[in-house]
Amino acid sequence: MSKDKFLKLLQQELDRIDGVKTAKRNERIITGFTKDPSPKGIINGKEVLIFNSNDYLGLRFHPELLKAEHKASEEFGTGPGAVRFISGTLLPHKQLEEKLAKFHKRDDAIIFSSAFATNLATLFSLIVGQSKDSVVDNDVLVISDALNHRSIIDGIRIANHPKEAKAIFEHMNPADLSRILKENVGKFKRALVITDGVFSMLGEIQKLKELRKVISEYDKKYERGILLIVDDAHGIGALGEHGAGSEEIEGVQADVLIGTLGKGLGSDGGYVVADQVVIDYLRESAATYIYSNSISPGTAAAGSAAIELLSKKQGQDLINNLKANIVFFKKLVKDNDLKMAADSKHPIQPLLIGSPEKTKALVSFLLEKNILVTSINYPVVAKGADEIRIQLSATHTKDDIKQLIDALLEARKSIEF
Ligand SMILES: Cc1ncc(COP(=O)(O)O)c(C=O)c1O
């Protein structure tokens, strides 16, 4: 049967993936969480301290979010029932968009089912017009940081933009962006510069201020200007005095800011905040907004509760705890001569290990000690830069962090790193 041949091909690919040891599908199942205030899940009947979650403020179990989610589900049901322009625009969606716009000091916001879906449709819409009648032409140079997230890469990919209209600037190198913009003056009417706000492998914060400066130098040389698009999925709810992300650290605003509710904000879904015309245009053109359901009303209400919380003392305390935990962790790292892959100011703290075998052994060792971390290996990072990615949360106690460091020191007796 031809189907068998088709499936055989897929099996061969699975075998190849297993062979190079990059398989991801045998995920660990968290069967529950403890009532402990620390982030502790249950895996194989054992309580484990979670050091690999993006829930940087520990909001996913916050009573305010849970209460808001339950109330909205009671009132509006468990799902949106339709896409937004049919009958799926519910009050919690509008309230969330208003709160996000205000939080990020923008005109308006638009929410999507995820940040991945946000990037796919937003980039497509801003690069090419949605239909053959669209007046938005594709006379645009698209410039992307070399280490941008897969959702950005795919957003650019699906726009099917010509090769000569796409450029990649060296990772976090504003001078290289300047070179590209200079070389292309007169060749394109407009340009888009797209970057992650935080690069999640090493916790690096993009140099947004410098990028903005470069863009302002060339802005007038492009007939229709240059837009800076920032996906700050890992920055929002993790960085800045008010948790507003890398923009707050860098003191500049993107023209189009993309975020997720599914990491530091403890809920789920993606969004864009920008000028009114950008948001209006996306509501008319973004395929994953028009043809795909939004988040459920409970999820939207939990997102709103997260934003509200950040403006209150309770939220501020969590932001301060997170910052104190980062400082505390870094001090213990220094005192104990542990090597980091980068000097990160973000709750992502990458411990340099050096080989896939050692990272694997270390992850297993730590799991034996009831600690959950993630290994990041080549090709995601350079060969020899294999790391253990530690993600801190506001709800880790100092004892939790000490427990992690003690386990690492014990591991160092048998695994060299
Ligand atoms: C930069 C960036 N963008 C987008 C996403 C996807 O976010 P979501 O889970 O909301 O689709 C991630 C998550 O890994 C990310 O790191």
Side-chain angles (χ1 to χ4, degrees), residues 96-108:
L96 175 58
E97 287 174 345
E98 278 164 28
K99 284 192 171 33
L100 286 168
K102 200 165 159 221
F103 178 62
H104 290 293
K105 302 187 174 66
R106 305 305 214 278
D107 293 348
D108 200 1

Side-chain angles (χ1 to χ4, degrees), residues 114-117 119 149 151 196 198 200 231 233-234 260 262-263 268-270:
S114 70
F116 206 110
N119 277 334
H149 189 259
S151 54
D196 283 22
V198 172
S200 63
D231 171 356
H234 280 275
T260 180
K263 300 189 195 292
D268 210 4

Side-chain angles (χ1 to χ4, degrees), residues 363-377:
V363 169
S364 303
F365 184 95
L366 291 175
L367 193 56
E368 278 297 304
K369 302 277 166 200
N370 303 330
I371 291 172
L372 199 57
V373 297
T374 305
S375 66
I376 310 277
N377 300 108

